[in-house]
Amino acid sequence: MALSFSVLKLRDFRLILFTRIFGMMALQAQAVIVGWQIYSITKDPFMLGLTGLVEAVPAILSALFAGHLVDNGRPHKIFLIAMGVLTLNILMMLTFTGGFVSLGDNHTIILIFTGIFISGMARSYIMPASFSLLPQIVSRNRLPSASAWMSSGFQLAAISGPAIAGIIYGGYGAKAAWMIPAVLIFLAFTMLLLLSSKPRKYRSRQVREPALQSIIGGWKFILGNRLLLSVMALDMFAVLFGGAVAILPAYADQILKTGSEGLGALRAAPALGSIITALFLALNPFRKLRATVLLAAIAGFGFCMIGFGLSKVFWFSMLMLALSGSFDSISMVMRSTLMQLLTPDAMRGRVSSVNSMFVISSNEIGAFESGLAAKFMGIAPSIIFGGVCTLIVVTVTYLISPKLKQTVVKADELI
């Protein structure tokens, strides 16, 4: 237990943790505001899904180069620049889509999608930079606990960001709501500036490697480590079909008949379940990482999404989303811990960038899939269909990957 709390005594870890919390709160609040604004203007669930695609395209296209840049440069500097871009981007959206400058609906939609595109590009640099910095702040024997605390921070942001943004939007409108992510992203940028000199000056390698050679080397490492590749792919395909966050504005409006306040609560529900689980895992870090636990957690996520799609009652919908977040948290902590323990320092940026491509594919492209399915199948049937697809992915993986389901990784042997 002492080991689990001791990581919080590290000043730089606290700063990187709060950078994650404030930054993700800002982005989660932005997602709620953007979703409600787009749906209020268009009343089209497909447009909600399109936001995911617009964010995913630049993120995926930038990811491999971002990993190369992080491994051949200073991760802190790259992290700081990316956070600066996000700060300026949110200020732009506050000014033009928040109502400080009056625009028509068409121009507002264009600026929103422009902001989403910029946000996706900036985030592709943040993930590998933060992944590379963490082991320079936290010793390897504390990485399982640190990963769980970072996951807890992420989920805390996912709870509070949407809830606050939804309440402010419902009570005071877009202008006041956009102030929330603007203040939060500035706080995240400030926390990152305060890191000590060691992580600020850190380089994983002193000799630069050509970009193409560096990128190919990263892919070779991933493809040669079947455990990491299998875990990333399983999570990607399961969440790609099973996620329903993007169409929550339409679900809140048409199924549950609630407003932006209800939408904020629905967006926060998965994170509520997730943070409880992540905090438990932070205090009780994994000593053995079993693939069967990962498969069971993803299957539980699929069942929850089916229950959510069948629900027409607000409290039961909240319960299903909270449970889905709990199962997803187990998957997230296991995946991030394995990545940190199995990746050498010189490869961290590129491995994280490849993982970001999997994560973006499952989340943002999954959002596009959700919007497309909702348009042609209807909102509730598309959610149920996604949950069933998740169960199919887990079942097929279990049947065709006997080595994966037998895998047990002992953390103490890797540190």
Side-chain angles (χ1 to χ4, degrees):
M1 189 71 73
L3 179 64
S4 300
F5 277 108
S6 64
V7 71
L8 296 177
K9 297 178 182 178
L10 302 174
R11 175 182 177 274
D12 282 340
F13 179 73
R14 294 196 304 271
L15 287 172
I16 205 79
L17 178 61
F18 279 109
T19 298
R20 182 175 179 84
I21 291 173
F22 290 137
M24 289 310 303
M25 279 182 70
L27 291 172
Q28 292 289 323
Q30 173 185 297
V32 167
I33 299 166
V34 161
W36 198 254
Q37 282 190 307
I38 288 176
Y39 190 71
S40 296
I41 293 171
T42 66
K43 297 296 181 181
D44 186 351
F46 175 75
M47 294 296 288
L48 295 173
L50 192 59
T51 61
L53 185 64
V54 170
E55 186 169 15
V57 169
I60 291 175
L61 292 178
S62 301
L64 293 179
F65 181 73
H68 157 73
L69 205 61
V70 167
D71 282 339
N72 288 273
R74 286 194 174 92
H76 178 267
K77 182 179 180 181
I78 295 165
F79 199 169
L80 200 62
I81 292 171
M83 289 297 292
V85 170
L86 280 180
T87 303
L88 293 174
N89 187 53
I90 289 178
L91 289 175
M92 180 272 290
M93 297 178 79
L94 165 66
T95 301
F96 293 102
T97 68
F100 286 94
V101 175
S102 182
L103 297 172
D105 287 348
N106 290 337
H107 288 96
T108 298
I109 292 293
I110 291 171
L111 278 170
I112 288 175
F113 278 107
T114 300
I116 294 170
F117 184 90
I118 295 171
S119 179
M121 183 171 292
R123 289 179 66 183
S124 70
Y125 290 86
I126 287 175
M127 184 178 290
S130 61
F131 184 79
S132 296
L133 279 179
L134 186 61
Q136 310 313 314
I137 295 171
V138 177
S139 59
R140 289 180 68 84
N141 67 315
R142 291 173 171 173
L143 281 175
S145 178
S147 295
W149 282 114
M150 292 293 282
S151 178
S152 299
F154 174 86
Q155 301 304 339
L156 175 63
I159 291 173
S160 51
I164 294 171
I167 291 171
I168 298 298
Y169 195 115
Y172 303 97
K175 184 180 293 186
W178 271 112
M179 293 295 295
I180 303 302
V183 171
L184 289 169
I185 200 68
F186 178 77
L187 290 174
F189 184 78
T190 302
M191 293 294 106
L192 196 57
L193 277 174
L194 296 175
L195 281 180
S196 66
S197 61
K198 180 184 176 182
R200 289 170 66 93
K201 296 179 179 178
Y202 166 72
R203 284 180 181 268
S204 63
R205 58 196 310 163
Q206 299 303 316
V207 180
R208 288 182 176 272
E209 189 177 11
L212 183 59
Q213 181 182 337
S214 174
I215 291 169
I216 291 174
W219 272 106
K220 283 184 177 179
F221 177 81
I222 289 289
L223 294 175
N225 193 315
R226 295 302 176 90
L227 177 58
L228 280 180
L229 182 63
S230 298
V231 168
M232 290 179 189
L234 174 62
D235 183 76
M236 179 188 75
F237 286 111
V239 180
L240 174 66
F241 296 109
V245 172
I247 60 172
L248 283 181
Y251 182 89
D253 180 60
Q254 296 185 27
I255 306 296
L256 297 181
K257 309 298 182 184
T258 186
S260 61
E261 298 91 336
L263 171 61
L266 290 171
R267 283 294 299 257
L272 178 62
S274 188
I275 193 173
I276 293 172
T277 303
L279 284 172
F280 175 81
L281 294 176
L283 298 175
N284 301 274
F286 282 115
R287 298 303 176 194
K288 293 182 179 180
L289 303 171
R290 300 179 183 274
T292 50
V293 174
L294 180 63
L295 290 168
I298 296 175
F301 176 84
F303 279 116
C304 289
M305 297 317 297
I306 293 172
F308 175 66
L310 293 171
S311 174
K312 294 183 179 180
V313 181
F314 185 80
W315 71 263
F316 187 74
S317 299
M318 290 281 289
L319 175 62
M320 289 295 98
L321 288 175
L323 289 174
S324 75
S326 183
F327 287 118
D328 188 50
S329 182
I330 296 172
S331 171
M332 183 186 302
V333 171
M334 290 186 71
R335 188 175 67 252
S336 61
T337 301
L338 278 170
M339 284 180 58
Q340 288 286 4
L341 292 173
L342 298 177
T343 306
D345 285 346
M347 281 282 182
R348 291 189 182 279
R350 284 164 287 174
V351 169
S352 181
S353 70
V354 172
N355 181 59
S356 74
M357 294 175 69
F358 282 84
V359 171
I360 291 163
S361 296
S362 63
N363 292 337
E364 276 70 30
I365 295 181
F368 176 70
E369 180 274 332
S370 297
L372 191 64
K375 184 173 182 66
F376 290 102
M377 300 174 64
I379 296 170
S382 70
I383 296 172
I384 297 169
F385 171 76
V388 171
C389 287
T390 297
L391 295 180
I392 292 173
V393 169
V394 172
T395 302
V396 170
T397 302
Y398 182 84
L399 293 175
I400 68 173
S401 304
K403 289 185 178 180
L404 177 63
K405 65 187 180 186
Q406 295 171 3
T407 298
V408 178
V409 177
K410 296 181 180 180
D412 290 342
E413 295 178 355
L414 299 172
I415 56 181

